[in-house]
Amino acid sequence: MSDRIAVIGAGQMGNGIAHVCAVAGHDVTMIDVSQAALDKAKGTIDKNLDRQVKKGALDETAKAAALGRITTATSMEAVANAAFVIEAATENVELKHKIFADMDRLAPAGAILATNTSSISITDIAGRVKRPEAVIGMHFMNPVPVMQLVEVIRGLATSDETTARTMALAQGVGKTPVEVNDYPGFVANRILMPMINEAIYCVMEGVGTPEAIDQVMKLGMNHPMGPLTLADFIGLDTCLAILEVMHKGLGDPKYRPCPLLRKYVAQGWVGRKAGRGFYSY
Ligand code: NAD
């Protein structure tokens, strides 16, 4: 088997995952249902590689080599020659189940089937495929080329070998993997999302403007970015989806998504990627 990595979903996260894998020397296939998303992802990777060249982190030859390792496809059949598949499509349970059924059917024996889900149960995804031992959570942070952490989440049936290969891949692409258990939201979003949700309640109740709330958290708590700027950056649709999973999965009203968050998502003001969220871009 080659060491090819297939990345499913070429959105904000998929392009970053493809970027770091290609820089680390892996052949990468980016798969998306949307050709426009694939074209945009290649443009973003090019731009982000340029940034690394300007900073002196990479030279032009390495940049060209990394770009040359990335191919794109609009069909799931393209997972057939991958040793490692990382799913990074939209945060939606039914969609993930469908994609994992395809991955299970089409990826070669011995391939690892990883998901970059922010909150959805790894065991729930693994329980529906024929090789649950090969399924694992590999949760990169946004923006992937910059952020150090990869949260690694084992499902109930994930094998030691799958975990070891996932930890090794994360380290190989220059990240620091941290293993945590499979509960809704894992660790990162279990702690982050209630803070973001509370910041949105503060906007809704008029406790402060988005600017004031972000300033308080930046200057008062030393956060590099305020919670509303961060929510816009993550995508308000993704924030809502994560909160829904935690609310349903943990059954505690403290995870109830703020009604104002629902309104923004209903209107399509989902943050930076849409040009408008709590701020305009
Ligand atoms: P995004 O909206 O930027 O991109 C999602 C992509 O998935 C789109 O390009 C869409 O066309 C594609 N897609 C939809 N259905 C597909 C299918 N059937 N096959 C292939 N591609 C399909 O979303 P994102 O922010 O990149 O998030 C992707 C995943 O990563 C989600 O599970 C999310 O929870 C997770 N995640 C997001 C962040 C973040 O900060 N945004 C951080 C960590 C993890």
Side-chain angles (χ1 to χ4, degrees):
M1 205 191 300
S2 74
D3 81 334
R4 179 171 289 277
I5 296 174
V7 179
I8 300 171
Q12 307 191 95
M13 296 304 291
N15 85 63
I17 296 167
H19 173 137
V20 297
C21 290
V23 168
H26 298 280
D27 290 322
V28 179
T29 310
M30 272 195 301
I31 303 170
D32 202 293
V33 282
S34 154
Q35 183 61 49
L38 289 167
D39 295 343
K40 187 171 169 208
K42 280 211 90 169
T44 303
I45 294 171
D46 196 334
K47 203 177 68 206
N48 289 340
L49 285 168
D50 267 341
R51 201 173 286 168
Q52 288 181 303
V53 170
K54 281 201 191 86
K55 276 203 234 147
L58 218 61
D59 62 25
E60 285 289 353
T61 316
K63 179 197 157 184
L67 276 179
R69 288 187 200 106
I70 302 175
T71 51
T72 62
T74 51
S75 160
M76 283 291 292
E77 312 275 333
V79 301
N81 61 354
F84 210 110
V85 188
I86 306 174
E87 175 277 319
T90 313
E91 186 79 346
N92 173 293
V93 184
E94 289 78 32
L95 177 69
K96 306 256 186 219
H97 287 153
K98 187 191 170 301
I99 292 175
F100 265 79
D102 288 342
M103 283 157 69
D104 197 19
R105 189 165 50 83
L106 296 166
I112 288 182
L113 311 183
T115 171
N116 184 52
T117 178
S118 301
S119 59
I120 297 167
S121 165
I122 307 306
T123 306
D124 185 35
I125 291 173
R128 292 157 190 258
V129 301
K130 293 194 191 78
R131 37 178 150 170
E133 69 285 352
V135 176
I136 193 159
M138 191 178 193
H139 183 210
F140 288 85
M141 303 293 127
N142 188 14
V144 180
V146 176
M147 300 298 282
Q148 194 60 43
L149 175 69
V150 176
E151 227 181 355
V152 173
I153 309 106
R154 290 179 75 132
L156 207 51
T158 307
S159 70
D160 290 343
E161 192 209 330
T162 296
T163 308
R165 280 173 62 193
T166 304
M167 301 290 273
L169 176 63
Q171 279 158 348
V173 301
K175 305 298 179 197
T176 304
V178 177
E179 199 186 315
V180 303
N181 277 326
D182 184 22
Y183 283 91
F186 319 127
V187 171
N189 285 303
R190 175 86 176 252
I191 296 172
L192 175 65
M193 282 303 151
M195 183 186 71
I196 286 178
N197 202 36
E198 205 58 36
I200 301 171
Y201 273 110
C202 286
V203 178
M204 189 176 82
E205 292 169 9
V207 183
T209 61
E211 289 81 359
I213 293 162
D214 278 352
Q215 283 280 73
V216 166
M217 297 306 284
K218 272 170 69 178
L219 303 180
M221 317 303 151
N222 235 0
H223 289 190
M225 201 185 259
L228 298 162
T229 303
L230 181 56
D232 272 2
F233 187 65
I234 293 169
L236 300 185
D237 52 342
T238 301
C239 292
L240 176 58
I242 295 169
L243 281 160
E244 301 267 35
V245 168
M246 296 202 315
H247 190 211
K248 188 162 170 237
L250 295 161
D252 190 321
K254 75 180 172 189
Y255 302 109
R256 180 174 74 103
C258 177
L260 186 63
L261 173 60
R262 291 191 190 284
K263 259 195 201 176
Y264 271 67
V265 173
Q267 181 51 53
W269 293 351
V270 295
R272 188 178 282 269
K273 65 186 171 186
R276 174 147 191 193
F278 289 102
Y279 299 94
S280 292
Y281 302 91

